[in-house]
Amino acid sequence: MKKIFLFCYITAALLSLAGCEETGNDFTGTNYIYLETKDGKTTLFETDSEPLTVEVMLTKALEEDLQITFELAGPEGVVELSGNPLTIKAGEKTASFSVVSLNANVLESSATYRIGISSLLPEGVQLKEPLQFVVSPMTSEALTDEQKAILDAYKTASGVDLAKYIGAVNVSVEYVGFDNENEVPLDPVTFTGKTLITLSESSTSELPVLKMLSNPMGIQDKMYATLRAMTVENSDWCDAEYYPDNTGLMNAINWNAESQEVFSMSLDGIKVNSDKTIEFLGAGADQYGDEIVIVPFEYDFTAFEREKKAVADGTFVKQEEYAFDCTANPAYHVNNTTIEYDYCEYGEEGNYVEASASVSDESMIFTFCVYMCNNDYDYTRIVATYTPNN
């Protein structure tokens, strides 16, 4: 039997693009400028060599060239804008510029940046909303002599140099969502990134254990995008008339689609066996608090930290007993269904795959599913392939 969770229908994920649809020559409304990152990417790492591409879209093409100067707000000396000022040619509606990391490695923690417009705009043209993104550090402490000895012991036992998977490691992700209307998997989407990996404190000379300190499995941006789509970007969830507790929470902690938040993930307990297989599943909880088997990601989210403080000091109190989804807790909204077996029951026509992982000198590959909640009929299937450092 399929399990349909509350509020798993995304009604607002596409609303931000509503103004970018085709408009006729008689269009007289506000000509909005929309800013979006390519592929929905919201995190840039200091060590990234590839820029963050920002796509700029007008509601309606203009009869004259439009030059726009963008401004960047956030810690200085970390990133810069490339292709700024930008010109959208007459008769066209789109253009793009980039955010480039300076590879300065000066951040000690993730920082939120905001892109706005500093230039004057023609009458009737305005920015819909600023663009937010996060820049995260991608450095870890040097390995101790004890940790080096653990890696040497594993190389002797398995023949694999696990040290090549320590540090900022490149990852390529194959991401397969689900078409709810036709009840079939969507075409695979592939994207790349980096994960910061180190040895966990639970490692022993017999069993090295990896910990992914940031962007585990390369899906941090996807998880955050889903969380936003389920909450502050969901017009149903934000409906004050029907769900007053949700808007009450948003007001109490100043959490909304425009608030500057930092979202990050980590994953510990990745056991690398001497036969080159990897164990990485663990215990989690579903929306009802029942224990399930999942990839046990840990989340840090600034809005949820404010929520916990507001609940503790009485600033926010839920009025309705049934308002279970009134929370900014990422674990409630994403990755909340067991993957120990195929709970969604689509069989060969679905996305479910038994979790597995292995390592070699050529690659470290993880295959697994997560229930992303916007795919409220079936899982999302993920294959994360790590390429060793030289």
Side-chain angles (χ1 to χ4, degrees):
M1 180 179 66
K2 301 181 180 69
K3 184 176 184 179
I4 308 300
F5 291 115
L6 294 174
F7 306 106
C8 284
Y9 299 95
I10 293 180
T11 59
L14 300 178
L15 286 182
S16 63
L17 293 176
C20 297
E21 295 176 355
E22 292 296 326
T23 55
N25 294 329
D26 58 348
F27 176 77
T28 58
T30 301
N31 196 349
Y32 284 114
I33 299 171
Y34 294 84
L35 304 181
E36 285 194 344
T37 56
K38 186 178 180 180
D39 298 326
K41 184 176 180 181
T42 59
T43 301
L44 184 69
F45 293 100
E46 280 193 280
T47 57
D48 280 349
S49 57
E50 295 185 7
L52 183 71
T53 300
V54 180
E55 298 174 335
V56 185
M57 296 159 283
L58 283 170
T59 305
K60 179 185 177 181
L62 297 175
E63 295 180 357
E64 299 179 352
D65 289 356
L66 174 63
Q67 185 177 79
I68 308 172
T69 301
F70 294 95
E71 59 182 359
L72 181 67
E76 296 181 355
V78 179
V79 295
E80 64 181 9
L81 301 183
S82 176
N84 182 43
L86 170 146
T87 299
I88 300 179
K89 297 291 186 180
E92 298 181 2
K93 295 169 58 178
T94 62
S96 65
F97 64 96
S98 300
V99 181
V100 180
S101 173
L102 299 177
N103 288 286
N105 292 325
V106 296
L107 290 179
E108 295 183 358
S109 60
S110 296
T112 299
Y113 285 78
R114 192 179 182 93
I115 296 177
I117 294 177
S118 60
S119 56
L120 293 175
L121 297 173
E123 183 178 356
V125 178
Q126 69 180 62
L127 177 65
K128 181 63 175 179
E129 59 187 27
L131 174 70
Q132 295 182 155
F133 65 95
V134 174
V135 180
S136 292
M138 190 55 93
T139 57
S140 60
E141 296 181 359
L143 294 175
T144 64
D145 290 341
E146 182 181 359
Q147 289 175 318
K148 292 176 182 178
I150 291 173
L151 294 173
D152 289 341
Y154 184 80
K155 185 175 182 179
T156 300
S158 68
V160 175
D161 187 1
L162 200 59
K164 293 183 177 180
Y165 296 99
I166 300 298
V169 186
N170 291 319
V171 58
S172 176
V173 182
E174 182 182 86
Y175 187 93
V176 184
F178 195 75
D179 181 342
N180 293 330
E181 182 177 353
N182 298 302
E183 299 189 4
V184 295
L186 293 168
D187 291 336
V189 176
T190 301
F191 50 90
T192 59
K194 291 180 183 290
T195 298
L196 184 59
I197 304 177
T198 190
L199 276 181
S200 173
E201 294 180 354
S202 59
S203 296
T204 66
S205 57
E206 292 79 23
L207 182 65
V209 180
L210 300 179
K211 181 176 183 179
M212 297 182 176
L213 298 170
S214 63
N215 195 29
M217 305 298 179
I219 60 172
Q220 182 170 292
D221 285 342
K222 290 289 187 182
M223 298 288 262
Y224 186 41
T226 301
L227 172 63
R228 286 174 57 86
M230 288 307 306
T231 53
V232 292
E233 292 181 350
N234 187 328
S235 59
D236 287 344
W237 192 88
C238 297
D239 193 315
E241 180 179 357
Y242 292 100
Y243 307 111
D245 276 332
N246 293 350
T247 50
L249 171 65
M250 293 169 65
N251 292 332
I253 65 174
N254 191 28
W255 177 40
N256 51 61
E258 288 76 43
S259 62
Q260 296 191 31
E261 310 293 345
V262 176
F263 174 88
S264 62
M265 296 166 54
S266 61
L267 177 63
D268 202 350
I270 305 168
K271 300 176 182 178
V272 188
N273 300 313
S274 59
D275 65 358
K276 306 177 189 178
T277 60
I278 301 176
E279 302 172 42
F280 63 106
L281 300 187
D286 64 14
Q287 290 182 315
Y288 307 104
D290 297 329
E291 185 172 306
I292 55 176
V293 175
I294 55 174
V295 180
F297 298 111
E298 293 289 334
Y299 309 96
D300 286 311
F301 184 38
T302 48
F304 186 44
E305 293 304 312
R306 296 199 303 275
E307 175 189 334
K308 289 187 287 186
K309 184 177 183 299
V311 171
D313 63 20
T315 305
F316 174 69
V317 179
K318 291 182 182 180
Q319 302 300 314
E320 303 288 348
E321 293 183 2
Y322 59 80
F324 300 111
D325 77 329
C326 177
T327 179
N329 183 5
Y332 182 91
H333 297 285
V334 296
N335 195 27
N336 51 23
T337 297
T338 190
I339 60 172
E340 188 175 18
Y341 55 89
D342 186 1
Y343 198 96
C344 297
E345 299 180 346
Y346 269 90
E348 295 181 357
E349 297 180 358
N351 269 337
Y352 180 78
V353 62
E354 186 175 350
S356 63
S358 62
V359 65
S360 69
D361 275 330
E362 290 73 37
S363 61
M364 182 167 62
I365 304 174
F366 297 86
T367 302
F368 60 99
C369 293
V370 295
Y371 191 90
M372 295 291 276
C373 208
N374 56 330
N375 292 342
D376 50 312
Y377 294 152
D378 198 19
Y379 298 94
T380 293
R381 186 171 71 247
I382 295 163
V383 179
T385 301
Y386 286 91
T387 304
N389 294 323
N390 296 326

